[in-house]
Amino acid sequence: MINLFYQTHPDIPNSIPEKYRTNELKHKAGGVADRYLENMLEQVDIPYKIFTPETWNGEDCWYIVQIAWIDQATIYHNFFEHIDESVLDKIKNQDCPIKLLISFPTEGFSLQMPRFMEIIDFCIKDMNIPIDQVKFVFGDLNIKNNYKWFTSKNGGKGWDKNLQTYGMNSFELNYYHECELMYWKGGGRMALTPAQISKQLISEEEFAKTVNVKKPKKYLFRNANPRTHRIYFAAELERNEVLDDGIVSFVNRYFTPEVYQGMFSTFRPRDARQSEHYAKIFLAKTPIIHDMDDSTIGDGLNQRFLIKEHYLDTYFSLIMETTFEDAEPENVVFITEKLYQPMLNYHPFMIAGSPGLLKQLREDGYATFPELFDESYDSIPAKSTRTQILLDQTIAWCKNYNFFIEKEQIYNSSAIRDKLVHNRNHFINCDKRKKWQDLVDWIMKK
């Protein structure tokens, strides 16, 4: 059980400007999410109670701010500024059991992100909120260690060392719930028709027929937001003439990228100018669209749509996670739906993400594929080395005939096929309640 406190009404997010505090206008505030935690708790049957100033009975409870967009929540509409004075007085009073919960499990990026932690830390101090009255939930599973480093002597940040932090994987449940809405429950506005579902998901019967079937392409490489690491991978695949061996999408969501000198310096390429040259060649072909373009991908659950032929026609997914950086001194471990999507369609995968993602998946009960790929990249801090291993593996699948024949035989083995079935079933059936109960227990712990 968790107790939440809303200063206006349970249907109106906390800490939005007063002019937006109606059901009709609340979404214009932009910076904070509407009942995200409550919706997730409902999916796993974890009870919660909501109080307002009129109904609060003195119980321990949390004034919850659910961040959706960084700049809107911390700059344009700073959420601290829009805590009502009477509520803020209660939060500042250490004898009062109303505390501040900053919840942002849907993002996990470096704490060096400009302004983000600086503004949070400054406002806590400037408003004289006792640090033991605040807890912070973030999508980086390693936030406790990362925050500790930044507040150490070597880290050099002046943030309060005593801020309590918690790393939460919200996407396993979040994406499962989205799958329920689209594929399994039916009846709602997000529900797809049987015909639409059959275009997205491989059935058990279809999977059973894929043994020893030659696939026209080697890998699946899906990209929406053109982050720098995704451009670099695409440039190197272009340089090595293996783009046509994959099914590639590159939507250029949010913006059309441009190549500039030095943009790949942290990847330590063998020839930076050549990497930039091939990036320009690749980007000239974009956007590369198979289903949703930049104008439609954000509607409803469009960005979650799959095309089952992409999985039937390739051997593995080369996943471009959201975060891909050097892991020393800070290692951001952030898991999104991108890791679970291949599982739904019986697909092995490599991940361009933080070190430890494969380890975390295994700890969560999923199988990875060291028989098919060199998974040593999962323990290497330097992103340049991780990048090269992932590229070398992908290129070998495409250009090294003997290597490919060996891996194809393993791919068709019962051991791999059993793993693919396991991953799909585990994603659908695993206990998703425990992660959220652990979070609630941590929040409510005094």
Side-chain angles (χ1 to χ4, degrees):
M1 171 72 76
I2 183 171
N3 299 331
L4 304 175
F5 187 93
Y6 280 85
Q7 65 184 3
T8 306
H9 186 276
D11 292 333
I12 306 299
N14 279 330
S15 286
I16 63 175
E18 194 167 352
K19 65 181 179 180
Y20 294 130
R21 294 181 189 179
T22 67
N23 282 316
E24 295 74 26
L25 298 177
K26 62 184 179 181
H27 297 298
K28 290 188 175 183
V32 294
D34 190 7
R35 295 177 59 84
Y36 180 82
L37 177 62
E38 296 94 305
N39 289 336
M40 292 297 100
L41 296 181
E42 288 170 5
Q43 301 312 310
V44 288
D45 296 320
I46 294 178
Y48 60 87
K49 288 195 293 188
I50 291 181
F51 294 100
T52 64
E54 293 76 26
T55 63
W56 181 54
N57 60 6
E59 291 187 50
D60 291 353
C61 61
W62 291 87
Y63 177 90
I64 184 170
V65 178
Q66 310 197 55
I67 297 176
W69 296 97
I70 306 166
D71 286 347
Q72 288 93 329
T74 57
I75 300 174
Y76 304 125
H77 297 146
N78 184 307
F79 69 83
F80 285 96
E81 180 184 355
H82 300 291
I83 304 175
D84 290 349
E85 185 175 352
S86 61
V87 176
L88 181 61
D89 287 342
K90 291 181 173 63
I91 293 172
K92 290 164 61 174
N93 182 354
Q94 288 181 288
D95 294 326
C96 180
I98 296 178
K99 300 182 180 182
L100 173 61
L101 175 63
I102 305 170
S103 182
F104 198 16
T106 54
E107 286 291 350
F109 43 73
S110 171
L111 295 179
Q112 297 186 83
M113 176 73 71
R115 302 181 298 272
F116 179 59
M117 281 307 306
E118 277 77 11
I119 290 176
I120 291 176
D121 180 75
F122 171 82
C123 289
I124 290 172
K125 293 173 178 175
D126 187 64
M127 301 177 83
N128 296 315
I129 300 174
I131 198 64
D132 58 3
Q133 293 283 98
V134 185
K135 290 188 177 183
F136 179 39
V137 179
F138 197 42
D140 172 17
L141 302 184
N142 199 33
I143 186 176
K144 186 173 182 179
N145 291 328
N146 290 333
Y147 189 84
K148 182 178 180 180
W149 185 84
F150 277 115
T151 57
S152 70
K153 183 177 179 180
N154 290 332
K157 298 292 185 182
W159 309 332
D160 196 306
K161 294 182 178 181
N162 295 313
L163 177 65
Q164 299 174 77
T165 61
Y166 191 95
M168 182 63 190
N169 173 4
S170 66
F171 277 92
E172 184 180 48
L173 175 61
N174 190 97
Y175 182 55
Y176 173 78
H177 176 50
E178 291 170 338
C179 289
E180 282 190 314
L181 296 177
M182 290 188 293
Y183 307 131
W184 302 320
K185 280 192 171 181
R189 63 186 180 89
M190 300 295 184
L192 303 180
T193 66
Q196 290 173 318
I197 294 171
S198 71
K199 292 180 180 180
Q200 293 200 31
L201 299 185
I202 299 171
S203 69
E204 292 181 25
E205 294 75 18
E206 288 171 318
F207 177 66
K209 295 176 182 178
T210 61
V211 184
N212 296 322
V213 174
K214 285 283 184 182
K215 299 176 182 291
K217 301 288 186 178
K218 300 299 194 304
Y219 66 94
L220 177 59
F221 183 62
R222 303 172 71 229
N223 302 274
N225 187 344
R227 297 178 187 272
T228 301
H229 65 284
R230 295 168 182 167
I231 300 172
Y232 182 76
F233 271 85
E236 292 303 305
L237 295 172
E238 177 79 60
R239 182 214 293 257
N240 286 278
E241 300 180 336
V242 295
L243 273 179
D244 288 342
D245 292 290
I247 295 177
V248 176
S249 66
F250 216 90
V251 177
N252 288 346
R253 187 180 186 188
Y254 301 123
F255 66 98
T256 299
E258 295 184 0
V259 178
Y260 56 88
Q261 186 174 354
M263 72 181 295
F264 300 135
S265 60
T266 58
F267 292 87
R268 299 175 185 168
R270 294 165 184 165
D271 187 332
R273 289 192 176 182
Q274 281 291 296
S275 296
E276 292 163 10
H277 169 71
Y278 282 102
K280 290 177 181 178
I281 292 175
F282 172 76
L283 289 174
K285 303 174 183 178
T286 64
I288 302 171
I289 296 164
H290 293 287
D291 45 20
M292 306 298 172
D293 62 19
D294 181 47
S295 66
T296 59
I297 193 171
D299 297 341
L301 294 177
N302 284 357
Q303 64 178 324
R304 306 296 194 243
F305 279 18
L306 308 174
I307 299 175
K308 76 177 181 184
E309 281 76 19
H310 290 176
Y311 298 90
L312 289 169
D313 291 346
T314 56
Y315 291 91
F316 66 93
S317 289
L318 178 57
I319 302 172
M320 296 286 107
E321 253 300 3
T322 300
T323 301
F324 186 74
E325 299 295 342
D326 287 313
E328 290 182 344
E330 179 190 29
N331 182 25
V332 177
V333 180
F334 180 45
I335 293 176
T336 73
E337 81 289 343
K338 300 174 189 64
L339 270 61
Y340 303 112
Q341 288 177 324
M343 297 179 188
L344 268 186
N345 271 335
Y346 304 98
H347 223 220
F349 49 82
M350 291 192 288
I351 307 170
S354 303
L357 287 183
L358 294 181
K359 180 175 181 287
Q360 185 62 53
L361 285 176
R362 289 191 292 268
E363 289 177 357
D364 287 343
Y366 297 98
T368 63
F369 302 92
E371 308 93 330
L372 297 175
F373 315 112
D374 175 4
E375 292 188 344
S376 64
Y377 66 86
D378 193 53
S379 59
I380 296 175
K383 74 175 180 182
S384 59
T385 308
R386 295 200 308 278
T387 299
Q388 200 56 55
I389 292 173
L390 290 162
L391 285 170
D392 287 347
Q393 292 284 296
T394 304
I395 294 164
W397 270 82
C398 298
K399 301 184 79 169
N400 186 327
Y401 179 77
N402 291 332
F403 177 90
F404 167 69
I405 291 301
E406 177 188 347
K407 295 300 183 182
E408 186 183 41
Q409 290 175 343
I410 297 171
Y411 173 87
N412 284 306
S413 69
S414 60
I416 295 299
R417 293 179 67 82
D418 287 348
K419 282 188 174 185
L420 298 175
V421 172
H422 166 80
N423 277 352
R424 185 179 190 276
N425 291 340
H426 187 66
F427 172 69
I428 294 171
N429 299 316
C430 70
D431 176 15
K432 300 172 183 65
R433 189 179 195 275
K434 185 179 184 305
K435 286 186 177 74
W436 292 88
Q437 186 61 59
D438 289 346
L439 171 64
V440 167
D441 291 345
W442 175 82
I443 292 172
M444 293 302 293
K445 183 179 179 180
K446 294 184 178 181

